[in-house]
Amino acid sequence: MKLRKVTAATAVALALATAATACGSDKKSDGGSSSGGKTIKVGIKFDQPGIGQKTPQGYSGFDVDVATYVAKQLGYNADQIEWKESKSADRETMLQRGDVDFIVASYSITPKRQAKVDFAGPYLLAHQDVLLRADDNSIKSPSDLNSKKLCSVTGSTSAQNVKDKLAPKANLQQYQTYSQCLTGLQNGAVDALTTDDSILAGYASQAAFKGKFKLGGFKMTNENYGIGVKKGSDLKAKINSALEKMVSDGSWETAVKKNFGPANYKNEPAPKIGNIVQ
């Protein structure tokens, strides 16, 4: 009888301890809080070398470095970041649904997107450009792309922009991925690859392609990369403060050189917060 009483008391104590633990656990599981919660969900690209890439070793790229710095300023260590793949077509929806707290994914600020989400930044001014073989001296301006084989991915507006406005006689080749375009450029199946210069520099900076490609430096459009947040989120102001600090302490320049340097990417100076270059 005495043994049963001890067992019952022990059971009650265990139940109380379990309940307390559960309460504590609930209190800590506000992933996405900007005030030091357990985790923060950040959207990046998983397939853009130099920008945002998932590898067996982890995540790398300029956007990853920017996101990690920003998260730290918000109170999160690197191991508290939950990375989410943010494909271009899904970014606004992911923010609106609350799937992520912010997105750093070569996300150009445009009026159409600003109607749906808010942007901190910009944190990088990129331009549409072309990637060429290092030994090709026949393409020195956009007009030289006439009669050349110009590659971009299916559905991209970049190549069509060149064909419509700059080189109407360009022979447009559309592949499924930029990696396929890069292979085509390497083996001579195409003469140029076009998209944002930052993305091109990221591909060209891969160890396997070092010294094989060069950027044209044509600056055909302005692409103001911003950090997307949900409409009305107070994270916008906090992220802007983090970006200003990243520039002032030299971390921004270090990240640029680390991720784009091998391609001799001539980046623009760090943009001022709220300064959208048209």
Side-chain angles (χ1 to χ4, degrees):
M1 185 70 181
K2 187 175 181 181
L3 179 60
R4 284 209 298 247
K5 284 183 179 179
V6 171
T7 303
T10 302
V12 170
L14 286 171
L16 289 172
T18 301
T21 301
C23 290
S25 176
D26 288 344
K27 190 173 182 180
K28 291 181 180 180
S29 63
D30 60 337
S33 165
S34 62
S35 57
K38 189 175 182 181
T39 60
I40 189 165
K41 300 181 180 70
V42 181
I44 58 170
K45 291 292 181 68
F46 278 15
D47 59 353
Q48 288 184 345
I51 298 288
Q53 185 179 29
K54 182 180 180 180
T55 71
Q57 292 74 40
Y59 301 90
S60 64
F62 181 68
D63 283 354
V64 174
D65 290 344
V66 170
T68 302
Y69 187 98
V70 168
K72 185 175 182 180
Q73 298 305 306
L74 296 176
Y76 298 88
N77 294 321
D79 60 0
Q80 292 176 296
I81 301 173
E82 186 176 345
W83 300 107
K84 299 284 188 179
E85 184 175 17
S86 297
K87 296 180 179 179
S88 296
D90 300 333
R91 290 177 296 202
E92 286 85 34
T93 302
M94 291 181 73
L95 288 169
Q96 291 168 338
R97 283 194 312 230
D99 296 342
V100 291
D101 296 289
F102 63 87
I103 289 178
V104 193
S106 55
Y107 201 1
S108 296
I109 302 171
T110 67
K112 184 177 180 180
R113 291 168 178 166
Q114 286 176 306
K116 298 177 181 178
V117 301
D118 285 341
F119 285 96
Y123 65 92
L124 182 72
L125 176 59
H127 307 280
Q128 185 184 338
D129 201 355
V130 294
L131 192 68
L132 309 168
R133 287 183 291 277
D135 60 356
D136 186 350
N137 296 313
S138 67
I139 301 174
K140 299 179 180 179
S141 70
S143 63
D144 291 333
L145 293 167
N146 281 307
S147 301
K148 298 287 189 178
K149 294 178 181 177
L150 176 65
C151 190
S152 195
V153 297
T154 302
S156 168
T157 59
S158 298
Q160 198 61 50
N161 179 58
V162 173
K163 189 170 175 62
D164 289 346
K165 301 177 181 179
L166 301 167
K169 294 182 181 179
N171 183 359
L172 183 57
Q173 306 284 311
Q174 298 188 76
Y175 290 3
Q176 290 299 313
T177 66
Y178 287 119
S179 295
Q180 290 176 333
C181 281
L182 201 65
T183 299
L185 182 61
Q186 186 175 14
N187 63 30
V190 297
D191 300 304
L193 161 59
T194 186
T195 187
D196 294 356
D197 55 6
S198 57
I199 297 173
L200 296 174
Y203 277 106
S205 293
Q206 295 178 90
F209 300 129
K210 190 173 181 180
K212 294 182 179 180
F213 303 109
K214 63 183 179 182
L215 290 163
F218 298 159
K219 298 184 178 181
M220 294 179 280
T221 64
N222 294 322
E223 306 295 336
N224 300 272
Y225 287 2
I227 296 180
V229 298
K230 190 173 183 178
K231 202 75 173 170
S233 173
D234 64 353
L235 277 179
K236 177 180 177 178
K238 296 175 182 178
I239 292 173
N240 278 336
S241 295
L243 291 174
E244 289 175 339
K245 184 175 180 182
M246 187 177 188
V247 172
S248 65
D249 69 14
S251 299
W252 184 91
E253 189 67 31
T254 297
V256 168
K257 291 179 180 177
K258 168 189 168 186
N259 293 290
F260 304 133
N264 295 317
Y265 176 54
K266 295 178 175 58
N267 63 283
E268 299 280 3
K272 293 182 179 179
I273 298 302
N275 183 25
I276 309 299
V277 179
Q278 301 300 325

Short mmCIF file of all heavy atoms in Angstrom, two decimals, residues 90-145:
data_model
loop_
_atom_site.label_atom_id
_atom_site.label_comp_id
_atom_site.label_asym_id
_atom_site.label_seq_id
_atom_site.Cartn_x
_atom_site.Cartn_y
_atom_site.Cartn_z
N ASP A 90 7.42 31.95 -56.51
CA ASP A 90 6.76 31.69 -55.22
C ASP A 90 7.02 32.75 -54.16
O ASP A 90 6.45 32.68 -53.07
CB ASP A 90 7.24 30.33 -54.68
CG ASP A 90 6.93 29.18 -55.60
OD1 ASP A 90 5.96 29.29 -56.38
OD2 ASP A 90 7.66 28.17 -55.56
N ARG A 91 7.87 33.72 -54.43
CA ARG A 91 8.36 34.59 -53.37
C ARG A 91 7.26 35.40 -52.69
O ARG A 91 7.17 35.44 -51.46
CB ARG A 91 9.46 35.51 -53.92
CG ARG A 91 10.74 34.75 -54.25
CD ARG A 91 11.82 35.60 -54.86
NE ARG A 91 11.46 36.15 -56.15
CZ ARG A 91 12.34 36.56 -57.06
NH1 ARG A 91 13.65 36.46 -56.81
NH2 ARG A 91 11.95 37.06 -58.23
N GLU A 92 6.40 36.07 -53.48
CA GLU A 92 5.34 36.88 -52.86
C GLU A 92 4.39 36.01 -52.03
O GLU A 92 4.01 36.37 -50.92
CB GLU A 92 4.55 37.65 -53.92
CG GLU A 92 5.28 38.83 -54.52
CD GLU A 92 6.17 38.43 -55.67
OE1 GLU A 92 5.82 37.49 -56.41
OE2 GLU A 92 7.24 39.05 -55.84
N THR A 93 4.04 34.86 -52.57
CA THR A 93 3.13 33.96 -51.87
C THR A 93 3.72 33.47 -50.56
O THR A 93 3.03 33.40 -49.53
CB THR A 93 2.77 32.75 -52.76
OG1 THR A 93 2.20 33.21 -53.99
CG2 THR A 93 1.78 31.83 -52.06
N MET A 94 5.00 33.14 -50.56
CA MET A 94 5.66 32.67 -49.34
C MET A 94 5.64 33.73 -48.25
O MET A 94 5.42 33.43 -47.07
CB MET A 94 7.10 32.26 -49.65
CG MET A 94 7.22 31.02 -50.51
SD MET A 94 8.94 30.54 -50.84
CE MET A 94 9.42 29.90 -49.23
N LEU A 95 5.84 34.98 -48.64
CA LEU A 95 5.80 36.07 -47.65
C LEU A 95 4.39 36.31 -47.15
O LEU A 95 4.16 36.48 -45.94
CB LEU A 95 6.37 37.35 -48.27
CG LEU A 95 7.89 37.37 -48.48
CD1 LEU A 95 8.29 38.56 -49.34
CD2 LEU A 95 8.63 37.41 -47.15
N GLN A 96 3.43 36.31 -48.05
CA GLN A 96 2.05 36.58 -47.66
C GLN A 96 1.49 35.49 -46.76
O GLN A 96 0.71 35.78 -45.85
CB GLN A 96 1.18 36.72 -48.92
CG GLN A 96 1.49 37.98 -49.73
CD GLN A 96 0.85 37.98 -51.12
OE1 GLN A 96 0.51 36.93 -51.67
NE2 GLN A 96 0.69 39.16 -51.70
N ARG A 97 1.91 34.24 -46.98
CA ARG A 97 1.43 33.13 -46.16
C ARG A 97 2.17 33.02 -44.83
O ARG A 97 1.76 32.29 -43.94
CB ARG A 97 1.60 31.80 -46.90
CG ARG A 97 0.58 31.54 -47.98
CD ARG A 97 0.61 30.07 -48.42
NE ARG A 97 1.96 29.59 -48.68
CZ ARG A 97 2.31 28.95 -49.79
NH1 ARG A 97 1.43 28.73 -50.76
NH2 ARG A 97 3.55 28.52 -49.95
N GLY A 98 3.31 33.70 -44.73
CA GLY A 98 4.11 33.59 -43.52
C GLY A 98 5.01 32.37 -43.51
O GLY A 98 5.48 31.94 -42.45
N ASP A 99 5.29 31.80 -44.69
CA ASP A 99 6.19 30.65 -44.77
C ASP A 99 7.62 31.04 -44.40
O ASP A 99 8.40 30.19 -43.97
CB ASP A 99 6.19 30.07 -46.19
CG ASP A 99 4.84 29.51 -46.60
OD1 ASP A 99 4.01 29.25 -45.71
OD2 ASP A 99 4.61 29.34 -47.81
N VAL A 100 7.96 32.29 -44.62
CA VAL A 100 9.29 32.81 -44.30
C VAL A 100 9.13 34.18 -43.63
O VAL A 100 8.11 34.84 -43.78
CB VAL A 100 10.18 32.95 -45.56
CG1 VAL A 100 10.56 31.59 -46.11
CG2 VAL A 100 9.48 33.78 -46.62
N ASP A 101 10.17 34.59 -42.92
CA ASP A 101 10.16 35.91 -42.28
C ASP A 101 10.71 36.97 -43.21
O ASP A 101 10.23 38.10 -43.21
CB ASP A 101 10.98 35.86 -40.99
CG ASP A 101 10.35 34.92 -39.97
OD1 ASP A 101 9.28 35.27 -39.44
OD2 ASP A 101 10.90 33.84 -39.74
N PHE A 102 11.72 36.61 -43.99
CA PHE A 102 12.20 37.51 -45.03
C PHE A 102 12.88 36.71 -46.13
O PHE A 102 13.25 35.54 -45.93
CB PHE A 102 13.11 38.63 -44.49
CG PHE A 102 14.40 38.19 -43.85
CD1 PHE A 102 15.55 37.99 -44.60
CD2 PHE A 102 14.50 38.04 -42.46
CE1 PHE A 102 16.75 37.63 -44.01
CE2 PHE A 102 15.70 37.68 -41.86
CZ PHE A 102 16.82 37.47 -42.64
N ILE A 103 13.00 37.32 -47.30
CA ILE A 103 13.56 36.64 -48.47
C ILE A 103 14.72 37.45 -49.04
O ILE A 103 14.60 38.64 -49.29
CB ILE A 103 12.49 36.44 -49.57
CG1 ILE A 103 11.48 35.37 -49.12
CG2 ILE A 103 13.13 36.02 -50.89
CD1 ILE A 103 10.36 35.13 -50.12
N VAL A 104 15.85 36.77 -49.22
CA VAL A 104 17.04 37.35 -49.85
C VAL A 104 17.39 36.44 -51.02
O VAL A 104 18.10 35.45 -50.85
CB VAL A 104 18.22 37.45 -48.87
CG1 VAL A 104 19.32 38.34 -49.44
CG2 VAL A 104 17.77 37.97 -47.52
N ALA A 105 16.87 36.74 -52.21
CA ALA A 105 16.97 35.77 -53.31
C ALA A 105 17.03 36.47 -54.67
O ALA A 105 16.12 36.32 -55.48
CB ALA A 105 15.80 34.79 -53.26
N SER A 106 18.08 37.27 -54.91
CA SER A 106 18.20 38.06 -56.14
C SER A 106 16.83 38.63 -56.52
O SER A 106 16.38 38.50 -57.65
CB SER A 106 18.80 37.23 -57.29
OG SER A 106 18.08 36.04 -57.52
N TYR A 107 16.23 39.31 -55.55
CA TYR A 107 14.83 39.75 -55.59
C TYR A 107 14.77 41.22 -55.99
O TYR A 107 14.88 42.12 -55.16
CB TYR A 107 14.24 39.53 -54.20
CG TYR A 107 12.74 39.44 -54.09
CD1 TYR A 107 11.90 39.50 -55.20
CD2 TYR A 107 12.17 39.25 -52.84
CE1 TYR A 107 10.54 39.39 -55.05
CE2 TYR A 107 10.80 39.14 -52.69
CZ TYR A 107 9.99 39.21 -53.80
OH TYR A 107 8.62 39.10 -53.65
N SER A 108 14.61 41.48 -57.29
CA SER A 108 14.60 42.86 -57.78
C SER A 108 13.35 43.60 -57.31
O SER A 108 12.24 43.08 -57.39
CB SER A 108 14.67 42.89 -59.31
OG SER A 108 15.88 42.35 -59.76
N ILE A 109 13.54 44.83 -56.86
CA ILE A 109 12.42 45.67 -56.41
C ILE A 109 11.73 46.26 -57.63
O ILE A 109 12.35 46.97 -58.43
CB ILE A 109 12.93 46.79 -55.49
CG1 ILE A 109 13.67 46.21 -54.28
CG2 ILE A 109 11.77 47.68 -55.04
CD1 ILE A 109 14.38 47.25 -53.43
N THR A 110 10.45 45.97 -57.78
CA THR A 110 9.65 46.53 -58.88
C THR A 110 8.32 47.03 -58.32
O THR A 110 7.87 46.55 -57.28
CB THR A 110 9.37 45.47 -59.96
OG1 THR A 110 8.50 44.45 -59.41
CG2 THR A 110 10.65 44.82 -60.46
N PRO A 111 7.69 47.99 -59.00
CA PRO A 111 6.39 48.49 -58.53
C PRO A 111 5.35 47.38 -58.38
O PRO A 111 4.56 47.38 -57.43
CB PRO A 111 5.99 49.49 -59.62
CG PRO A 111 7.29 49.97 -60.17
CD PRO A 111 8.17 48.77 -60.16
N LYS A 112 5.34 46.43 -59.29
CA LYS A 112 4.37 45.34 -59.24
C LYS A 112 4.56 44.51 -57.98
O LYS A 112 3.58 44.13 -57.31
CB LYS A 112 4.52 44.45 -60.48
CG LYS A 112 3.50 43.34 -60.56
CD LYS A 112 3.67 42.55 -61.86
CE LYS A 112 2.64 41.41 -61.95
NZ LYS A 112 2.82 40.64 -63.22
N ARG A 113 5.80 44.24 -57.62
CA ARG A 113 6.08 43.46 -56.41
C ARG A 113 5.83 44.28 -55.15
O ARG A 113 5.38 43.76 -54.13
CB ARG A 113 7.52 42.95 -56.45
CG ARG A 113 7.74 41.87 -57.50
CD ARG A 113 9.21 41.58 -57.72
NE ARG A 113 9.41 40.50 -58.69
CZ ARG A 113 10.55 40.21 -59.27
NH1 ARG A 113 11.65 40.93 -58.97
NH2 ARG A 113 10.65 39.22 -60.14
N GLN A 114 6.13 45.58 -55.21
CA GLN A 114 5.91 46.45 -54.05
C GLN A 114 4.44 46.57 -53.69
O GLN A 114 4.11 46.91 -52.56
CB GLN A 114 6.49 47.84 -54.32
CG GLN A 114 8.02 47.88 -54.26
CD GLN A 114 8.57 49.25 -54.61
OE1 GLN A 114 8.27 49.79 -55.67
NE2 GLN A 114 9.39 49.80 -53.73
N ALA A 115 3.56 46.28 -54.63
CA ALA A 115 2.13 46.31 -54.34
C ALA A 115 1.72 45.12 -53.47
O ALA A 115 0.68 45.16 -52.80
CB ALA A 115 1.32 46.30 -55.64
N LYS A 116 2.56 44.08 -53.44
CA LYS A 116 2.22 42.85 -52.73
C LYS A 116 3.02 42.64 -51.45
O LYS A 116 2.53 42.06 -50.49
CB LYS A 116 2.42 41.65 -53.65
CG LYS A 116 1.54 41.66 -54.89
CD LYS A 116 1.85 40.47 -55.78
CE LYS A 116 0.99 40.47 -57.04
NZ LYS A 116 1.31 39.33 -57.94
N VAL A 117 4.29 43.09 -51.46
CA VAL A 117 5.17 42.90 -50.31
C VAL A 117 5.98 44.17 -50.09
O VAL A 117 6.03 45.05 -50.96
CB VAL A 117 6.12 41.69 -50.51
CG1 VAL A 117 5.33 40.41 -50.72
CG2 VAL A 117 7.07 41.94 -51.69
N ASP A 118 6.63 44.27 -48.95
CA ASP A 118 7.54 45.39 -48.67
C ASP A 118 8.99 44.93 -48.89
O ASP A 118 9.30 43.74 -48.81
CB ASP A 118 7.38 45.87 -47.23
CG ASP A 118 6.11 46.69 -47.04
OD1 ASP A 118 5.56 47.18 -48.05
OD2 ASP A 118 5.66 46.84 -45.88
N PHE A 119 9.85 45.91 -49.16
CA PHE A 119 11.26 45.62 -49.38
C PHE A 119 12.14 46.47 -48.47
O PHE A 119 11.95 47.68 -48.37
CB PHE A 119 11.66 45.92 -50.83
CG PHE A 119 11.18 44.91 -51.83
CD1 PHE A 119 10.00 45.12 -52.54
CD2 PHE A 119 11.91 43.75 -52.07
CE1 PHE A 119 9.56 44.20 -53.47
CE2 PHE A 119 11.48 42.81 -53.00
CZ PHE A 119 10.30 43.04 -53.70
N ALA A 120 13.10 45.82 -47.83
CA ALA A 120 14.20 46.53 -47.19
C ALA A 120 15.30 46.66 -48.24
O ALA A 120 15.37 45.89 -49.18
CB ALA A 120 14.69 45.77 -45.98
N GLY A 121 16.16 47.65 -48.08
CA GLY A 121 17.24 47.83 -49.04
C GLY A 121 16.98 48.98 -49.99
O GLY A 121 16.30 49.92 -49.63
N PRO A 122 17.58 48.90 -51.18
CA PRO A 122 18.28 47.76 -51.78
C PRO A 122 19.66 47.51 -51.16
O PRO A 122 20.25 48.41 -50.58
CB PRO A 122 18.41 48.15 -53.25
CG PRO A 122 18.42 49.64 -53.23
CD PRO A 122 17.53 50.05 -52.11
N TYR A 123 20.15 46.27 -51.33
CA TYR A 123 21.47 45.92 -50.82
C TYR A 123 22.47 45.63 -51.93
O TYR A 123 23.66 45.42 -51.66
CB TYR A 123 21.38 44.72 -49.87
CG TYR A 123 20.93 43.44 -50.54
CD1 TYR A 123 21.86 42.53 -51.04
CD2 TYR A 123 19.58 43.13 -50.66
CE1 TYR A 123 21.46 41.36 -51.66
CE2 TYR A 123 19.16 41.95 -51.27
CZ TYR A 123 20.10 41.08 -51.77
OH TYR A 123 19.69 39.91 -52.38
N LEU A 124 21.99 45.61 -53.20
CA LEU A 124 22.90 45.41 -54.33
C LEU A 124 22.24 45.97 -55.59
O LEU A 124 21.06 45.75 -55.82
CB LEU A 124 23.20 43.92 -54.55
CG LEU A 124 24.20 43.59 -55.68
CD1 LEU A 124 25.62 44.00 -55.27
CD2 LEU A 124 24.16 42.11 -56.05
N LEU A 125 23.02 46.72 -56.36
CA LEU A 125 22.56 47.18 -57.67
C LEU A 125 23.24 46.32 -58.73
O LEU A 125 24.45 46.40 -58.94
CB LEU A 125 22.91 48.65 -57.89
CG LEU A 125 22.55 49.22 -59.27
CD1 LEU A 125 21.06 49.10 -59.55
CD2 LEU A 125 23.01 50.67 -59.39
N ALA A 126 22.45 45.46 -59.37
CA ALA A 126 22.95 44.60 -60.44
C ALA A 126 22.46 45.14 -61.78
O ALA A 126 21.64 46.08 -61.83
CB ALA A 126 22.47 43.17 -60.23
N HIS A 127 22.97 44.58 -62.85
CA HIS A 127 22.57 44.99 -64.20
C HIS A 127 22.44 43.76 -65.09
O HIS A 127 23.19 42.78 -64.91
CB HIS A 127 23.62 45.92 -64.82
CG HIS A 127 23.97 47.10 -63.99
ND1 HIS A 127 23.20 48.23 -63.91
CD2 HIS A 127 25.04 47.32 -63.17
CE1 HIS A 127 23.76 49.11 -63.10
NE2 HIS A 127 24.89 48.58 -62.64
N GLN A 128 21.56 43.83 -66.05
CA GLN A 128 21.54 42.77 -67.05
C GLN A 128 22.81 42.88 -67.88
O GLN A 128 23.22 43.96 -68.30
CB GLN A 128 20.33 42.85 -67.97
CG GLN A 128 20.25 41.65 -68.92
CD GLN A 128 19.11 41.74 -69.92
OE1 GLN A 128 18.14 42.45 -69.68
NE2 GLN A 128 19.23 41.04 -71.03
N ASP A 129 23.44 41.73 -68.10
CA ASP A 129 24.71 41.71 -68.82
C ASP A 129 24.80 40.41 -69.62
O ASP A 129 23.84 39.63 -69.67
CB ASP A 129 25.86 41.82 -67.83
CG ASP A 129 27.17 42.31 -68.47
OD1 ASP A 129 27.22 42.47 -69.71
OD2 ASP A 129 28.14 42.52 -67.72
N VAL A 130 25.93 40.19 -70.24
CA VAL A 130 26.18 38.93 -70.95
C VAL A 130 27.47 38.31 -70.43
O VAL A 130 28.38 39.02 -70.00
CB VAL A 130 26.29 39.13 -72.48
CG1 VAL A 130 24.96 39.57 -73.06
CG2 VAL A 130 27.41 40.09 -72.84
N LEU A 131 27.50 37.00 -70.46
CA LEU A 131 28.72 36.25 -70.15
C LEU A 131 29.27 35.72 -71.46
O LEU A 131 28.53 35.17 -72.29
CB LEU A 131 28.41 35.10 -69.19
CG LEU A 131 29.62 34.41 -68.55
CD1 LEU A 131 30.32 35.38 -67.59
CD2 LEU A 131 29.20 33.15 -67.82
N LEU A 132 30.57 35.89 -71.66
CA LEU A 132 31.24 35.50 -72.90
C LEU A 132 32.41 34.58 -72.60
O LEU A 132 32.91 34.54 -71.46
CB LEU A 132 31.77 36.75 -73.62
CG LEU A 132 30.79 37.90 -73.84
CD1 LEU A 132 31.53 39.15 -74.28
CD2 LEU A 132 29.73 37.50 -74.86
N ARG A 133 32.87 33.85 -73.61
CA ARG A 133 34.10 33.09 -73.44
C ARG A 133 35.27 34.08 -73.28
O ARG A 133 35.29 35.14 -73.92
CB ARG A 133 34.34 32.16 -74.63
CG ARG A 133 33.40 30.96 -74.67
CD ARG A 133 33.73 30.02 -75.83
NE ARG A 133 33.40 30.63 -77.11
CZ ARG A 133 32.18 30.65 -77.66
NH1 ARG A 133 31.16 30.08 -77.03
NH2 ARG A 133 31.98 31.22 -78.83
N ALA A 134 36.21 33.73 -72.46
CA ALA A 134 37.31 34.65 -72.15
C ALA A 134 38.11 35.05 -73.37
O ALA A 134 38.66 36.16 -73.43
CB ALA A 134 38.23 34.00 -71.11
N ASP A 135 38.18 34.18 -74.38
CA ASP A 135 38.98 34.48 -75.57
C ASP A 135 38.16 35.08 -76.71
O ASP A 135 38.67 35.26 -77.83
CB ASP A 135 39.69 33.22 -76.06
CG ASP A 135 38.72 32.10 -76.43
OD1 ASP A 135 37.49 32.27 -76.23
OD2 ASP A 135 39.18 31.04 -76.91
N ASP A 136 36.90 35.42 -76.47
CA ASP A 136 36.05 35.98 -77.51
C ASP A 136 36.13 37.50 -77.48
O ASP A 136 35.66 38.14 -76.54
CB ASP A 136 34.59 35.53 -77.30
CG ASP A 136 33.67 35.96 -78.44
OD1 ASP A 136 34.11 36.77 -79.29
OD2 ASP A 136 32.52 35.51 -78.47
N ASN A 137 36.71 38.08 -78.51
CA ASN A 137 36.82 39.54 -78.60
C ASN A 137 35.91 40.12 -79.67
O ASN A 137 36.04 41.30 -80.05
CB ASN A 137 38.28 39.93 -78.89
CG ASN A 137 39.21 39.54 -77.77
OD1 ASN A 137 38.92 39.79 -76.60
ND2 ASN A 137 40.32 38.90 -78.11
N SER A 138 34.96 39.31 -80.16
CA SER A 138 34.08 39.76 -81.24
C SER A 138 32.84 40.48 -80.73
O SER A 138 32.14 41.13 -81.50
CB SER A 138 33.66 38.57 -82.11
OG SER A 138 32.83 37.67 -81.38
N ILE A 139 32.55 40.37 -79.42
CA ILE A 139 31.35 40.99 -78.86
C ILE A 139 31.80 42.06 -77.86
O ILE A 139 32.20 41.76 -76.74
CB ILE A 139 30.45 39.94 -78.17
CG1 ILE A 139 30.04 38.87 -79.17
CG2 ILE A 139 29.22 40.60 -77.57
CD1 ILE A 139 29.27 37.70 -78.57
N LYS A 140 31.74 43.32 -78.31
CA LYS A 140 32.19 44.43 -77.47
C LYS A 140 31.07 45.37 -77.06
O LYS A 140 31.27 46.30 -76.28
CB LYS A 140 33.29 45.20 -78.21
CG LYS A 140 34.51 44.35 -78.52
CD LYS A 140 35.57 45.14 -79.28
CE LYS A 140 36.79 44.28 -79.59
NZ LYS A 140 37.83 45.01 -80.35
N SER A 141 29.88 45.15 -77.63
CA SER A 141 28.71 45.97 -77.29
C SER A 141 27.47 45.12 -77.56
O SER A 141 27.55 44.11 -78.27
CB SER A 141 28.68 47.24 -78.13
OG SER A 141 28.39 46.94 -79.48
N PRO A 142 26.30 45.50 -77.02
CA PRO A 142 25.09 44.72 -77.26
C PRO A 142 24.77 44.53 -78.74
O PRO A 142 24.29 43.46 -79.14
CB PRO A 142 24.00 45.55 -76.56
CG PRO A 142 24.73 46.24 -75.46
CD PRO A 142 26.07 46.58 -76.04
N SER A 143 25.06 45.52 -79.58
CA SER A 143 24.75 45.40 -81.01
C SER A 143 25.55 44.29 -81.68
O SER A 143 25.14 43.74 -82.71
CB SER A 143 24.99 46.73 -81.72
OG SER A 143 26.35 47.11 -81.65
N ASP A 144 26.70 43.94 -81.09
CA ASP A 144 27.52 42.87 -81.65
C ASP A 144 26.87 41.50 -81.47
O ASP A 144 27.37 40.50 -82.02
CB ASP A 144 28.91 42.85 -80.99
CG ASP A 144 29.74 44.06 -81.37
OD1 ASP A 144 29.51 44.61 -82.47
OD2 ASP A 144 30.59 44.47 -80.56
N LEU A 145 25.78 41.44 -80.71
CA LEU A 145 25.07 40.18 -80.51
C LEU A 145 24.20 39.82 -81.71
O LEU A 145 23.69 38.70 -81.80
CB LEU A 145 24.21 40.25 -79.25
CG LEU A 145 24.97 40.35 -77.92
CD1 LEU A 145 24.03 40.74 -76.80
CD2 LEU A 145 25.67 39.03 -77.61
#
